[in-house]
Amino acid sequence: MSKDKLIIFDTTMRDGEQSPGASMTLEEKVRIGKALERMRVDVIEAGFAIASQGDFEAVRAVAAAVKDSRICSLSRARAEDIDRAAEALKPANASRIHTFIATSPIHMKYKLRQEPDAVLESAVRAVKYARNLVEDVEFSCEDAGRSEIDFLCRIIEAAIDAGARTINIPDTVGYAIPGQFGATVGQLLARIPNADKAIFSVHCHNDLGLAVANSLSAVLQGARQVECTINGLGERAGNAALEEIVMAIKTRPDLFPVETTIWTPEIVPTSRLVSSVTGFPVQPNKAIVGANAFAHESGIHQDGVLKHRETYEIMRAEDVGWGANKMVLGKHSGRAAFRARLDELGIPVGSDNSLNQLFVRFKELADKKHEIFDEDIHALVSDAQPNAVEVFKLVSLEVTSKTGTKPEAQLTLNVDGVDKVVTATGSGPVDATFRAIEAVANSGTSLDLYSVNAITSGTDSQGEVTVRLSQAGRIINGHGSDTDIVIASAKAYLNALNLLRGGVSRAHPQGEAI
């Protein structure tokens, strides 16, 4: 008996990017887009074209670079949003405009300040307008999880008549419970006369830790598209994790009447890429992609796995990409091999000069670290990206830390072309380093997050540091990597300061979240 296809719609670069400080550059979005393409993701939501000029250019760049997946841009139910999305999507082989409007009583009353009939008219007008520009239109009922089902039936029926091919039912605030949410999707499919003319989709947030469960419940009731993100990235508590949705479907074919076309060995490499780009480390006990996901410490478990793997493992680690990132480069590797690996990873090289600069950085890393893994290359490229004007440049750093004395950092910073030397003490070497930087920068920022993540295993692993700074309501994440954690920390802090000084910011129009 053949199974229905479950469409996997990835919104890592749109909803995932709404995590505080998780903004991605155009080059990083292209790298992620190519990774999702290798994974055979059906639809990639590359951004919200009208949010900013940067978002527009990123959607356009992903549309030009990715050829085997459908590229989507989000838009409010407004003509100017839809025009901007259509323009950004022009280079795509296959495109989709995803337009939405709020449908819950609380959103219609307090945010839109519109009566339900006016909301319905706006939805129909937006879908018709979008269909004049692209063939594939998706319509979302924002806050559907708290919407009245009678109104949902009315507006969805009208949207399908207007030309929407996909209808999305988002649990925007993570309010739903699996049985109830699945039943809602089932009722909509049963009650709406033209429901057979569209694919029904779900987009679940994880505020109660139920995003994956809610999504799978909806699939059992007839949803045939799931909107999700790599590592469950997303605003607040995140979204349904793509890797968990896909592997649940693959692992339990006895329960689910659907299958996906996802190439699962790319899951772990893509997870690590997204983690590197955003600076959001994956917790060790995270399902599928966490470092401990296939680890067994219990003697009973170890004995069982050795005798027969399926006693304690329901999936094979290699099926999701664990062990796939073998060491391919070292200090004796040449420029041609390095470029070939960049091409395989979907990393755009650009000019020969750019390649030469990256190759020099690679050789410097290879002198410190004998084995170079794919994750190291992603981190190296991320560090080399021109994310901001470098007002502050690290020239040298010397840290003294020993038992019984207060750690001290002596720092030389180049500030707008002038070297400045400063010394500071702190409770630890990193604290002393940050105090030394602030003695020069005097940024007036608040340090909201300091996170260290080992990029690969082993004591020679690069440390990847994320520093989150806030200033007058602006939130910026800085990233840095090095085999020396203190230097990586200094790089991350300076990266954040440079982003702040460069005015890097993302402006999201009201109502972006669905």
Side-chain angles (χ1 to χ4, degrees), residues 167-247:
I167 297 296
N168 184 41
I169 312 299
D171 181 23
T172 303
V173 294
Y175 184 68
I177 301 298
Q180 165 254 316
F181 188 67
T184 297
V185 173
Q187 285 184 58
L188 293 172
L189 284 163
R191 289 179 56 180
I192 297 170
N194 55 1
D196 61 324
K197 293 182 172 59
I199 297 291
F200 275 63
S201 172
V202 289
H203 176 125
C204 297
H205 280 264
N206 205 39
D207 297 74
L208 294 175
L210 296 170
V212 169
N214 285 331
S215 300
L216 294 175
S217 179
V219 169
L220 290 172
Q221 293 291 332
R224 290 299 177 261
Q225 175 177 286
V226 172
E227 306 191 2
C228 43
T229 62
I230 300 297
N231 300 336
L233 190 68
E235 60 183 341
R236 303 188 315 277
N239 290 278
L242 180 150
E243 60 275 8
E244 295 175 25
I245 296 288
V246 168
M247 293 311 295

Coordinates of all heavy atoms in Angstrom, one line a residue, residues 167-247:
I167 N -2.8 25.3 2.9 CA -3.4 26.0 4.1 C -2.6 25.6 5.3 O -2.5 24.5 5.7 CB -4.9 25.7 4.2 CG1 -5.7 26.1 3.0 CG2 -5.4 26.3 5.5 CD1 -5.7 27.6 2.8
N168 N -2.1 26.6 6.0 CA -1.3 26.4 7.2 C -2.1 26.7 8.5 O -2.7 27.8 8.6 CB 0.0 27.2 7.2 CG 0.9 26.9 8.3 OD1 1.1 25.7 8.7 ND2 1.5 27.9 8.9
I169 N -2.0 25.8 9.4 CA -2.7 25.9 10.7 C -1.6 26.1 11.8 O -1.1 25.1 12.3 CB -3.6 24.7 11.0 CG1 -4.5 24.3 9.8 CG2 -4.4 25.0 12.3 CD1 -5.4 25.5 9.4
P170 N -1.2 27.3 12.1 CA -0.1 27.5 13.1 C -0.6 27.5 14.5 O -1.6 28.1 14.8 CB 0.5 28.8 12.7 CG -0.4 29.4 11.7 CD -1.6 28.6 11.5
D171 N 0.1 26.9 15.4 CA -0.1 27.0 16.8 C 1.0 28.1 17.2 O 2.0 27.8 17.8 CB 0.2 25.7 17.6 CG -0.1 25.9 19.1 OD1 -0.8 26.8 19.5 OD2 0.5 25.0 19.8
T172 N 0.7 29.3 16.9 CA 1.6 30.4 17.0 C 2.2 30.7 18.4 O 3.4 31.0 18.5 CB 0.9 31.7 16.5 OG1 0.4 31.5 15.2 CG2 1.9 32.9 16.5
V173 N 1.4 30.4 19.4 CA 1.9 30.7 20.8 C 2.2 29.4 21.6 O 2.4 29.5 22.8 CB 1.0 31.6 21.5 CG1 0.9 33.0 20.9 CG2 -0.4 31.0 21.6
G174 N 2.2 28.3 20.9 CA 2.5 27.0 21.6 C 1.4 26.6 22.6 O 1.8 26.1 23.7
Y175 N 0.2 26.9 22.3 CA -0.9 26.7 23.3 C -1.6 25.4 23.2 O -2.2 24.9 24.2 CB -1.9 27.8 23.0 CG -3.1 27.9 24.0 CD1 -2.9 28.3 25.3 CD2 -4.4 27.6 23.5 CE1 -4.0 28.3 26.2 CE2 -5.5 27.7 24.4 CZ -5.3 28.1 25.7 OH -6.4 28.2 26.5
A176 N -1.4 24.7 22.1 CA -2.2 23.5 21.8 C -1.6 22.3 22.6 O -0.5 22.2 23.0 CB -2.2 23.2 20.3
I177 N -2.6 21.3 22.7 CA -2.2 20.0 23.3 C -2.4 18.9 22.2 O -3.4 19.1 21.4 CB -3.1 19.7 24.5 CG1 -3.0 20.8 25.5 CG2 -2.8 18.3 25.1 CD1 -1.6 20.9 26.1
P178 N -1.6 17.9 22.1 CA -1.6 17.0 20.9 C -3.0 16.5 20.5 O -3.4 16.6 19.3 CB -0.7 15.9 21.3 CG 0.3 16.5 22.2 CD -0.5 17.6 23.0
G179 N -3.7 15.9 21.4 CA -5.0 15.3 21.0 C -6.0 16.4 20.5 O -6.7 16.2 19.4
Q180 N -6.0 17.5 21.2 CA -6.9 18.6 20.8 C -6.5 19.2 19.5 O -7.3 19.5 18.6 CB -6.9 19.6 21.9 CG -7.5 21.0 21.5 CD -6.4 22.1 21.3 OE1 -5.5 22.2 22.2 NE2 -6.5 22.8 20.3
F181 N -5.2 19.4 19.3 CA -4.7 20.0 18.0 C -5.0 19.1 16.8 O -5.4 19.6 15.8 CB -3.2 20.4 18.1 CG -2.7 21.2 17.0 CD1 -3.1 22.5 16.8 CD2 -1.8 20.7 16.1 CE1 -2.7 23.3 15.7 CE2 -1.3 21.4 15.0 CZ -1.7 22.7 14.9
G182 N -4.7 17.8 17.0 CA -4.9 16.9 15.9 C -6.4 16.9 15.5 O -6.8 16.8 14.4
A183 N -7.2 16.9 16.6 CA -8.7 16.8 16.3 C -9.2 18.1 15.6 O -10.1 18.0 14.7 CB -9.4 16.7 17.7
T184 N -8.6 19.2 15.9 CA -8.9 20.5 15.2 C -8.6 20.4 13.7 O -9.4 20.7 12.8 CB -8.2 21.7 15.8 OG1 -8.6 21.9 17.1 CG2 -8.4 23.0 15.0
V185 N -7.4 19.9 13.4 CA -7.1 19.7 12.0 C -8.0 18.7 11.3 O -8.5 18.9 10.2 CB -5.6 19.2 11.8 CG1 -5.2 18.8 10.4 CG2 -4.6 20.3 12.3
G186 N -8.3 17.6 12.0 CA -9.3 16.6 11.4 C -10.6 17.2 11.2 O -11.3 17.0 10.1
Q187 N -11.1 18.1 12.1 CA -12.4 18.7 11.9 C -12.4 19.7 10.7 O -13.4 19.7 9.9 CB -12.8 19.5 13.1 CG -13.3 18.7 14.3 CD -13.7 19.6 15.5 OE1 -14.6 20.4 15.3 NE2 -13.1 19.4 16.6
L188 N -11.3 20.4 10.5 CA -11.2 21.3 9.4 C -11.3 20.6 8.1 O -12.0 21.0 7.1 CB -9.9 22.2 9.5 CG -9.9 23.2 10.7 CD1 -8.5 23.8 10.8 CD2 -10.9 24.3 10.5
L189 N -10.5 19.5 8.0 CA -10.5 18.7 6.8 C -11.9 18.1 6.5 O -12.3 18.0 5.3 CB -9.5 17.6 6.9 CG -8.0 18.0 6.7 CD1 -7.1 17.0 7.2 CD2 -7.8 18.3 5.3
A190 N -12.6 17.8 7.6 CA -14.0 17.1 7.4 C -15.0 18.2 7.0 O -16.0 17.9 6.3 CB -14.4 16.4 8.6
R191 N -14.9 19.4 7.6 CA -16.0 20.4 7.5 C -15.9 21.3 6.3 O -16.9 21.9 5.8 CB -16.1 21.2 8.8 CG -16.6 20.4 10.0 CD -16.6 21.3 11.2 NE -17.4 22.6 11.0 CZ -17.6 23.5 11.9 NH1 -17.0 23.3 13.1 NH2 -18.3 24.6 11.7
I192 N -14.7 21.5 5.8 CA -14.5 22.5 4.7 C -14.7 21.8 3.4 O -14.1 20.9 3.0 CB -13.0 23.1 4.8 CG1 -12.9 23.9 6.1 CG2 -12.8 24.0 3.6 CD1 -11.4 24.3 6.4
P193 N -15.7 22.3 2.6 CA -16.2 21.6 1.4 C -15.0 21.4 0.4 O -15.0 20.4 -0.3 CB -17.3 22.5 0.9 CG -17.7 23.3 2.0 CD -16.5 23.5 2.9
N194 N -14.2 22.4 0.2 CA -13.1 22.3 -0.8 C -11.7 21.9 -0.2 O -10.7 22.2 -0.8 CB -13.0 23.6 -1.6 CG -12.8 24.8 -0.7 OD1 -12.7 24.7 0.6 ND2 -12.7 26.0 -1.2
A195 N -11.7 21.3 0.9 CA -10.5 21.0 1.6 C -9.6 20.1 0.8 O -8.4 20.1 0.9 CB -10.8 20.3 3.0
D196 N -10.2 19.3 -0.1 CA -9.4 18.4 -1.0 C -8.6 19.1 -2.1 O -7.8 18.5 -2.7 CB -10.4 17.4 -1.6 CG -11.4 18.0 -2.5 OD1 -11.9 19.1 -2.2 OD2 -11.7 17.4 -3.6
K197 N -8.9 20.4 -2.2 CA -8.2 21.2 -3.2 C -6.9 21.8 -2.7 O -6.2 22.6 -3.4 CB -9.1 22.2 -3.8 CG -10.3 21.6 -4.6 CD -11.1 22.7 -5.2 CE -12.2 22.2 -6.2 NZ -13.1 21.2 -5.5
A198 N -6.5 21.5 -1.5 CA -5.3 22.1 -0.9 C -4.6 21.1 0.0 O -5.3 20.2 0.5 CB -5.7 23.4 -0.1
I199 N -3.3 21.4 0.2 CA -2.6 20.6 1.2 C -2.7 21.3 2.6 O -2.5 22.6 2.6 CB -1.1 20.5 0.8 CG1 -0.9 19.8 -0.5 CG2 -0.2 19.9 2.0 CD1 -1.2 18.3 -0.4
F200 N -3.0 20.6 3.6 CA -3.1 21.2 4.9 C -1.8 21.0 5.7 O -1.2 19.9 5.7 CB -4.3 20.6 5.7 CG -5.6 21.3 5.4 CD1 -6.1 21.3 4.2 CD2 -6.3 22.0 6.4 CE1 -7.3 21.9 3.9 CE2 -7.4 22.7 6.1 CZ -8.0 22.6 4.9
S201 N -1.3 22.1 6.3 CA 0.0 22.2 6.9 C -0.1 22.6 8.3 O -1.2 23.2 8.7 CB 0.9 23.2 6.1 OG 2.1 23.5 6.8
V202 N 0.9 22.3 9.1 CA 0.9 22.8 10.5 C 2.3 23.4 10.8 O 3.3 23.0 10.3 CB 0.6 21.6 11.5 CG1 -0.9 21.3 11.5 CG2 1.5 20.4 11.3
H203 N 2.3 24.4 11.7 CA 3.5 25.1 12.2 C 3.3 25.3 13.7 O 2.6 26.1 14.1 CB 3.5 26.4 11.4 CG 4.6 27.3 11.8 ND1 5.5 27.8 10.9 CD2 5.0 27.8 13.0 CE1 6.4 28.6 11.5 NE2 6.1 28.6 12.8
C204 N 4.0 24.5 14.4 CA 3.8 24.4 15.9 C 5.0 25.0 16.6 O 6.2 24.6 16.4 CB 3.6 23.0 16.3 SG 2.0 22.3 15.6
H205 N 4.7 25.8 17.6 CA 5.7 26.4 18.5 C 5.8 25.5 19.8 O 4.9 24.8 20.1 CB 5.5 27.8 18.8 CG 5.9 28.7 17.7 ND1 7.1 29.4 17.7 CD2 5.3 29.1 16.5 CE1 7.3 30.1 16.6 NE2 6.2 29.9 15.9
N206 N 7.0 25.6 20.5 CA 7.3 24.7 21.5 C 7.2 25.2 22.9 O 7.9 24.8 23.8 CB 8.8 24.2 21.2 CG 9.0 22.8 21.8 OD1 8.2 22.0 21.8 ND2 10.2 22.7 22.4
D207 N 6.4 26.2 23.1 CA 6.3 26.8 24.4 C 6.0 25.9 25.6 O 6.4 26.1 26.7 CB 5.2 28.0 24.4 CG 5.6 29.1 23.4 OD1 5.5 28.8 22.2 OD2 6.0 30.1 23.9
L208 N 5.2 24.8 25.3 CA 4.9 23.8 26.3 C 5.7 22.5 26.0 O 5.4 21.5 26.6 CB 3.4 23.5 26.3 CG 2.5 24.7 26.8 CD1 1.0 24.3 26.7 CD2 2.8 25.0 28.3
G209 N 6.7 22.6 25.1 CA 7.4 21.4 24.8 C 6.7 20.4 24.0 O 7.1 19.2 23.9
L210 N 5.7 20.8 23.3 CA 4.8 19.9 22.5 C 4.8 20.1 21.0 O 3.9 19.6 20.3 CB 3.4 20.0 23.1 CG 3.2 19.6 24.6 CD1 1.8 20.0 25.1 CD2 3.4 18.1 24.7
A211 N 5.7 20.9 20.5 CA 5.7 21.2 19.1 C 5.7 20.0 18.2 O 4.9 19.9 17.2 CB 6.8 22.2 18.7
V212 N 6.6 19.1 18.5 CA 6.7 17.9 17.6 C 5.5 17.0 17.8 O 4.9 16.5 16.9 CB 8.0 17.1 18.0 CG1 8.0 15.7 17.3 CG2 9.2 17.9 17.5
A213 N 5.1 16.8 19.1 CA 3.9 16.0 19.4 C 2.7 16.5 18.7 O 1.9 15.8 18.1 CB 3.7 15.9 20.9
N214 N 2.5 17.9 18.7 CA 1.3 18.5 18.1 C 1.4 18.3 16.6 O 0.4 18.0 15.9 CB 1.3 20.0 18.4 CG 0.8 20.2 19.8 OD1 0.0 19.4 20.4 ND2 1.2 21.3 20.4
S215 N 2.6 18.4 16.0 CA 2.7 18.3 14.6 C 2.4 16.9 14.1 O 1.7 16.6 13.1 CB 4.2 18.6 14.1 OG 4.5 20.0 14.5
L216 N 2.9 15.9 14.9 CA 2.7 14.5 14.5 C 1.2 14.1 14.7 O 0.6 13.3 13.9 CB 3.6 13.6 15.3 CG 5.1 13.7 15.0 CD1 5.9 12.9 16.0 CD2 5.4 13.3 13.6
S217 N 0.6 14.7 15.7 CA -0.9 14.4 15.9 C -1.7 14.9 14.7 O -2.6 14.3 14.3 CB -1.3 15.1 17.2 OG -2.7 14.9 17.4
A218 N -1.3 16.1 14.2 CA -1.9 16.6 13.0 C -1.7 15.8 11.8 O -2.6 15.6 11.0 CB -1.5 18.1 12.8
V219 N -0.5 15.2 11.7 CA -0.2 14.4 10.5 C -1.2 13.1 10.5 O -1.7 12.7 9.5 CB 1.3 13.9 10.5 CG1 1.5 12.8 9.5 CG2 2.1 15.1 10.2
L220 N -1.4 12.6 11.7 CA -2.3 11.4 11.9 C -3.7 11.8 11.5 O -4.5 10.9 11.1 CB -2.2 10.9 13.3 CG -0.9 10.2 13.7 CD1 -0.9 9.8 15.2 CD2 -0.7 8.9 12.9
Q221 N -4.0 13.1 11.6 CA -5.4 13.5 11.3 C -5.5 14.0 9.8 O -6.6 14.5 9.4 CB -5.8 14.6 12.2 CG -6.0 14.1 13.7 CD -7.2 13.2 13.8 OE1 -8.2 13.2 13.1 NE2 -7.1 12.3 14.8
G222 N -4.4 14.0 9.1 CA -4.5 14.4 7.7 C -3.7 15.5 7.2 O -3.6 15.8 6.0
A223 N -2.9 16.2 8.1 CA -2.0 17.2 7.6 C -0.9 16.6 6.7 O -0.4 15.5 7.1 CB -1.4 17.9 8.8
R224 N -0.6 17.2 5.7 CA 0.4 16.6 4.7 C 1.6 17.5 4.5 O 2.4 17.3 3.5 CB -0.3 16.2 3.4 CG -1.2 15.0 3.6 CD -0.4 13.8 4.1 NE -1.3 12.6 4.3 CZ -1.7 12.2 5.5 NH1 -1.4 13.0 6.6 NH2 -2.4 11.1 5.7
Q225 N 1.7 18.6 5.3 CA 3.0 19.4 5.3 C 3.2 19.7 6.8 O 2.3 20.1 7.5 CB 2.8 20.7 4.5 CG 4.0 21.6 4.6 CD 3.9 22.8 3.7 OE1 4.1 22.7 2.5 NE2 3.7 24.0 4.3
V226 N 4.5 19.7 7.2 CA 4.9 20.1 8.5 C 6.0 21.2 8.3 O 7.0 21.0 7.6 CB 5.5 19.0 9.3 CG1 6.1 19.5 10.6 CG2 4.4 18.0 9.6
E227 N 5.8 22.3 9.0 CA 6.7 23.4 9.0 C 7.6 23.3 10.3 O 7.1 23.2 11.4 CB 6.0 24.7 8.9 CG 5.0 24.8 7.8 CD 4.5 26.1 7.4 OE1 4.8 27.1 8.1 OE2 3.6 26.2 6.5
C228 N 8.9 23.3 10.1 CA 9.8 22.9 11.2 C 11.2 23.6 10.9 O 11.4 24.2 9.9 CB 10.0 21.4 11.3 SG 10.2 20.6 9.7
T229 N 12.1 23.4 11.9 CA 13.4 24.0 11.8 C 14.5 23.1 12.2 O 14.2 22.2 13.0 CB 13.5 25.3 12.6 OG1 13.3 25.0 14.0 CG2 12.5 26.4 12.2
I230 N 15.7 23.3 11.7 CA 16.8 22.5 12.2 C 17.1 22.8 13.7 O 17.1 24.0 14.1 CB 18.1 22.8 11.3 CG1 17.8 22.5 9.9 CG2 19.3 22.1 11.9 CD1 17.6 21.1 9.6
N231 N 17.3 21.8 14.5 CA 17.5 21.9 15.9 C 16.4 22.5 16.7 O 16.5 22.9 17.8 CB 18.8 22.7 16.2 CG 20.1 22.2 15.6 OD1 20.1 21.0 15.3 ND2 21.1 23.0 15.3
G232 N 15.2 22.7 16.0 CA 14.1 23.3 16.7 C 14.3 24.8 16.9 O 13.6 25.4 17.8
L233 N 15.2 25.4 16.2 CA 15.5 26.8 16.4 C 14.2 27.6 16.1 O 13.4 27.3 15.3 CB 16.5 27.2 15.4 CG 17.2 28.6 15.5 CD1 18.0 28.6 16.8 CD2 18.1 28.9 14.3
G234 N 14.0 28.7 16.9 CA 12.9 29.6 16.7 C 12.7 30.5 17.8 O 13.3 30.4 18.9
E235 N 11.8 31.5 17.6 CA 11.6 32.5 18.7 C 11.0 31.8 19.9 O 10.4 30.8 19.9 CB 10.7 33.6 18.2 CG 9.4 33.2 17.7 CD 8.6 34.5 17.2 OE1 9.0 35.6 17.5 OE2 7.6 34.3 16.4
R236 N 11.2 32.4 21.1 CA 10.8 31.9 22.4 C 11.4 30.5 22.6 O 12.6 30.3 22.5 CB 9.3 31.9 22.6 CG 8.7 33.3 22.4 CD 7.2 33.3 22.7 NE 6.4 32.2 22.2 CZ 5.9 32.2 21.0 NH1 6.1 33.2 20.1 NH2 5.3 31.1 20.6
A237 N 10.6 29.5 22.8 CA 11.1 28.2 23.0 C 11.3 27.4 21.8 O 11.7 26.2 21.8 CB 10.1 27.4 23.9
G238 N 11.2 28.0 20.6 CA 11.5 27.3 19.4 C 10.3 26.7 18.6 O 9.2 26.9 19.0
N239 N 10.6 26.0 17.6 CA 9.7 25.3 16.7 C 9.8 23.8 16.8 O 10.7 23.3 17.4 CB 9.9 25.8 15.3 CG 9.5 27.2 15.0 OD1 8.4 27.5 14.8 ND2 10.5 28.1 15.1
A240 N 8.9 23.1 16.1 CA 9.1 21.7 15.9 C 10.4 21.4 15.2 O 10.8 22.1 14.2 CB 7.9 21.1 15.1
A241 N 11.2 20.5 15.7 CA 12.5 20.2 15.2 C 12.4 19.3 14.0 O 11.8 18.2 14.0 CB 13.4 19.5 16.2
L242 N 12.9 19.7 12.9 CA 12.8 18.9 11.6 C 13.4 17.5 11.8 O 12.7 16.5 11.4 CB 13.7 19.6 10.5 CG 13.7 19.0 9.1 CD1 13.8 20.0 8.1 CD2 14.8 18.0 9.0
E243 N 14.5 17.4 12.5 CA 15.1 16.0 12.6 C 14.2 15.1 13.4 O 14.2 13.9 13.1 CB 16.5 16.2 13.3 CG 16.5 16.8 14.7 CD 16.6 18.3 14.7 OE1 16.5 18.9 13.6 OE2 16.8 18.9 15.8
E244 N 13.5 15.6 14.4 CA 12.6 14.8 15.2 C 11.4 14.3 14.4 O 10.9 13.2 14.5 CB 12.3 15.5 16.5 CG 13.4 15.7 17.4 CD 13.1 16.5 18.6 OE1 11.9 16.5 19.1 OE2 14.0 17.2 19.2
I245 N 10.8 15.3 13.7 CA 9.7 15.0 12.8 C 10.0 13.9 11.8 O 9.3 12.8 11.7 CB 9.2 16.2 12.1 CG1 8.7 17.3 13.0 CG2 8.1 15.8 11.0 CD1 7.3 17.0 13.7
V246 N 11.1 14.1 11.1 CA 11.5 13.2 10.0 C 11.8 11.8 10.6 O 11.4 10.8 10.0 CB 12.7 13.7 9.3 CG1 13.3 12.7 8.3 CG2 12.3 15.0 8.4
M247 N 12.6 11.7 11.7 CA 13.0 10.4 12.2 C 11.8 9.7 12.9 O 11.8 8.5 12.9 CB 14.2 10.5 13.1 CG 15.4 11.0 12.4 SD 15.8 10.0 10.9 CE 16.1 8.4 11.5

